[in-house]
Amino acid sequence: MGRPFCCITALYFLLIFNLTVSTEAGIVGVNYGMLGNNLPPPIQVVALLKSRSITRLRLFHPIHDALRALQNSGIEVILGTLNQDLQLLGSDLSFAKNWVNTNVIPYSRTIRFRCISAGNEVIPGDLAAYVFPAMKNLKAALDAAEVAYNIPVTTCASTAILGLSYPPSMGEFSKDVISVMRSIAGFLAANGSPLLVNVYPYFAYVNNQQQIPLSYALFESTKVVVRDGKLKYRNLFDAMTDAVYSALEKVGGGSVPIVVSETGWPSKDENGGVATIGNARTYNKNLIAHVSGASGTPKRPGNSTEAYIFAIFNENLKPPGTEQNFGLFYPNMTDVYPIY
Ligand SMILES: *[C@@H]1O[C@H](CO)[C@@H](O)[C@H](O)[C@H]1NC(C)=O
Ligand SMILES: *[C@@H]1O[C@H](CO)[C@@H](O)[C@H](O)[C@H]1NC(C)=O
């Protein structure tokens, strides 16, 4: 596909967003998805991120080539576990210790780990019951290793954990996940650790285009779209995030901060004119501006939201269609659209 903007526009955006990102460095991160057979080696990817002043990255599971490339890069890392390891991590402390000794300890002096995430988007589901035991064992394993004892342990959830999400103050966990989420929230609150949540206004919008204005999903609305008591919402990202905050409050997790571990917008395959380069660029540039300001969400004003864009690359081994086109970069490392 071609690029529908001229060089001058590209230069303009490049200048603006280089400024935004480097002055507010460290707030927006990226997800290092690797489901492509044409992606550059990690060492080149780390150089690319550094050249764009991107200082936070999420790695879905330990890839030692990537961890080695990240050593001494100054890039902070969220490290996940494979979902298929959750059961053993939860049931066998020695497995958890071995996981930490293999994947964290060798890098703990050269990489700053933002947190370790037990699994990705397994709640609700067959693996959900293993998440909390896995978190406890990973924490015990990290505590036992002097060099890594202060790395937070958490999990990563999608907004499918919510039974109710609108209006945001009514947000609550669904019946089938509430006991698991109560245990997890208690653990996170006790340890001062964040919950990772994947927040996709794109999917909310495509599934409900009759009711949701596109401008609200793209951070382009100049007026308040949702009034929820005293809280006023101009964008869907904040409304979705606050719905999870409301749900956490209802299970004793009112002090737990949310880190938005994934968000993004696909740039191709249309979906009725929604997944376009223009909309993807608008969403991600507005996201960066939004989380770079110190505004937070209406429920949690004051602290900006830490967020990670999905994803660095378009990934050709994901399911065909929009799923393959969430990248900021093509596999040849040129921008899909200029943003940083
Ligand atoms: C902002 O975050 C810091 C560190 O997590 C916390 O101590 C502080 O209370 C937060 N402030 C607000 C207004 O939420
Ligand atoms: C990079 O890949 C994209 C998508 O395949 C292509 O349009 C572009 O021309 C390539 N750029 C270079 C410099 O090869």
Side-chain angles (χ1 to χ4, degrees):
M1 70 190 130
R3 296 205 193 170
F5 47 82
C6 72
C7 298
I8 296 196
T9 316
L11 189 62
Y12 171 79
F13 276 105
L14 210 62
L15 287 172
I16 299 288
F17 291 105
N18 271 341
L19 274 180
T20 309
V21 169
S22 52
T23 53
E24 307 286 348
I27 294 167
V28 171
V30 288
N31 280 270
Y32 193 177
M34 296 188 186
L35 297 178
N37 60 12
N38 52 359
L39 301 180
I43 196 105
Q44 286 179 26
V45 177
V46 170
L48 172 67
L49 300 182
K50 287 179 76 172
S51 76
R52 306 303 175 98
S53 304
I54 297 173
T55 56
R56 292 175 185 268
L57 174 142
R58 174 169 173 235
L59 201 53
F60 286 85
H61 55 92
I63 303 278
H64 288 269
D65 271 358
L67 287 165
R68 273 192 291 275
L70 285 159
Q71 290 186 292
N72 300 309
S73 66
I75 296 173
E76 193 174 42
V77 176
I78 294 177
L79 180 62
T81 74
L82 286 169
N83 289 340
Q84 65 253 36
D85 285 345
L86 285 170
Q87 185 169 6
L88 273 174
L89 284 166
S91 60
D92 183 352
L93 180 59
S94 66
F95 184 89
K97 284 187 167 163
N98 189 47
W99 193 95
V100 165
N101 286 335
T102 308
N103 301 312
V104 180
I105 304 305
Y107 306 102
S108 61
R109 287 189 175 82
T110 50
I111 295 177
R112 183 155 172 243
F113 288 102
R114 173 68 179 88
C115 56
I116 306 296
S117 171
N120 180 41
E121 296 195 344
V122 299
I123 310 169
D126 294 343
L127 297 176
Y130 303 126
V131 172
F132 179 50
M135 288 168 65
K136 283 193 292 190
N137 278 349
L138 283 166
K139 168 108 177 82
L142 289 165
D143 284 350
E146 218 171 280
V147 289
Y149 71 94
N150 59 355
I151 301 173
V153 175
T154 184
T155 186
C156 179
S158 78
T159 47
I161 54 178
L162 297 179
L164 212 59
S165 62
Y166 183 86
S169 62
M170 296 292 284
E172 62 180 36
F173 295 122
S174 66
K175 282 195 183 62
D176 45 339
V177 310
I178 194 157
S179 82
V180 163
M181 288 311 298
R182 183 176 282 114
S183 306
I184 290 171
F187 175 96
L188 296 174
N191 293 300
S193 302
L195 177 67
L196 307 184
V197 185
N198 297 340
V199 176
Y200 281 101
Y202 168 77
F203 291 113
Y205 173 74
V206 291
N207 293 322
N208 200 354
Q209 293 180 43
Q210 314 306 328
Q211 261 147 349
I212 300 175
L214 181 61
S215 60
Y216 183 60
L218 291 176
F219 299 94
E220 294 269 278
S221 179
T222 51
K223 56 182 204 310
V224 174
V225 175
V226 170
R227 267 172 214 280
D228 180 11
K230 274 187 264 180
L231 304 179
K232 297 172 184 164
Y233 291 89
R234 289 183 169 81
N235 68 77
L236 184 54
F237 176 86
D238 280 352
M240 293 173 75
T241 306
D242 273 356
V244 184
Y245 274 124
S246 297
L248 281 168
E249 284 167 5
K250 288 165 192 165
V251 297
S255 68
V256 175
I258 290 172
V259 167
V260 174
S261 37
E262 289 178 30
T263 190
W265 198 283
S267 64
K268 198 183 164 192
D269 267 6
E270 292 291 323
N271 226 342
V274 182
T276 61
I277 285 188
N279 285 347
R281 184 174 62 192
T282 299
Y283 180 84
N284 282 321
K285 81 177 165 63
N286 288 341
L287 171 84
I288 292 170
H290 181 63
V291 303
S292 299
S295 60
T297 70
K299 269 185 92 76
R300 294 285 185 278
N303 274 350
S304 56
T305 307
E306 183 180 328
Y308 295 73
I309 294 174
F310 187 89
I312 304 176
F313 295 112
N314 283 344
E315 294 169 67
N316 67 359
L317 298 180
K318 297 205 78 173
T322 54
E323 288 281 322
Q324 296 188 354
N325 294 287
F326 273 81
L328 297 173
F329 299 96
Y330 294 114
N332 62 16
M333 302 206 288
T334 62
D335 305 63
V336 178
Y337 43 87
I339 197 150
Y340 285 109

